[in-house]
Amino acid sequence: MISAYDRVYLPQARETMGAMLDYVVWDCKIDIDRFFELFVTTGFADRFGRGDPKLVAGRSGVELAWDVFEKTGSSTERIQPRYNLNRSKAYWTGWALAHVQWATSVSFRALTKYLPPSRIEGLYSPYHERDERALVEKVVELYIAAKPESNLKLQRMKRGLSQQELAAAAGVPVRTLQQYEQRQKDILKANVSYIVSLAHVIGCEVEDILDYV
């Protein structure tokens, strides 16, 4: 897997995300999935997922939540945080989401489309006591099960092309294309010319056909 950004920012990113969700759930009494939808639609999630230092290290979780509220106009009152001494499930969920997104490079938008924060929260026991690698492996397993179609296949079908048509137009062997679509081969290790050609024929960005998990 390819990490989303430099590991030096990861500890602070996990803390910020955890504190943000703890605050909105326990102090603001907002549903965790509903808030995360706002976090995604405002564009903060994309910036956070790219490791923007202003967000992952330059803002506290509470300040980031206030930024989301301000941009969406969903709250006019800045509720003061109580700063729980014990780490809540909501905090762990944010911590886990930040870690998994960093480890896989899957965007928060894509990740939570198939595995909303409440689903990640359901992994609290036993994964809050296990190694981070076990958590990542479990989330990837659930993500693939929830999203059985690869991005390449989804983009091809959206364009209305058969495997044979796409392979011929892109100059890629049909069997190779099938293996990428079925995740029998890692598309991240594919010949660069193949990837560029496939994206060109489909009419999308290269990133749109990649599967980071």
Side-chain angles (χ1 to χ4, degrees), residues 170-187:
V172 177
V174 175
R175 180 54 185 157
T176 299
L177 173 61
Q178 292 172 339
Q179 289 173 324
Y180 291 146
E181 287 196 355
Q182 296 166 9
R183 298 194 178 103
Q184 294 175 357
K185 280 188 174 181
D186 186 353
I187 196 168

Side-chain angles (χ1 to χ4, degrees), residues 2-68:
I2 302 174
S3 301
Y5 48 86
D6 196 304
R7 190 184 184 95
V8 70
Y9 292 112
L10 179 59
Q12 185 59 51
R14 295 184 301 203
E15 166 64 25
T16 300
M17 183 74 75
M20 179 179 72
L21 294 189
D22 180 86
Y23 171 69
V24 300
V25 170
W26 294 105
D27 293 314
C28 302
K29 309 301 181 185
I30 299 175
D31 177 77
I32 194 170
D33 291 340
R34 175 56 186 148
F35 174 80
F36 216 87
E37 286 180 10
L38 299 177
F39 184 57
V40 169
T41 57
T42 55
F44 286 118
D46 288 337
R47 289 175 56 193
F48 196 103
R50 292 194 298 270
D52 184 339
K54 293 181 180 179
L55 298 188
V56 300
R59 307 287 283 166
S60 70
V62 173
E63 290 171 332
L64 185 52
W66 286 345
D67 288 342
V68 173

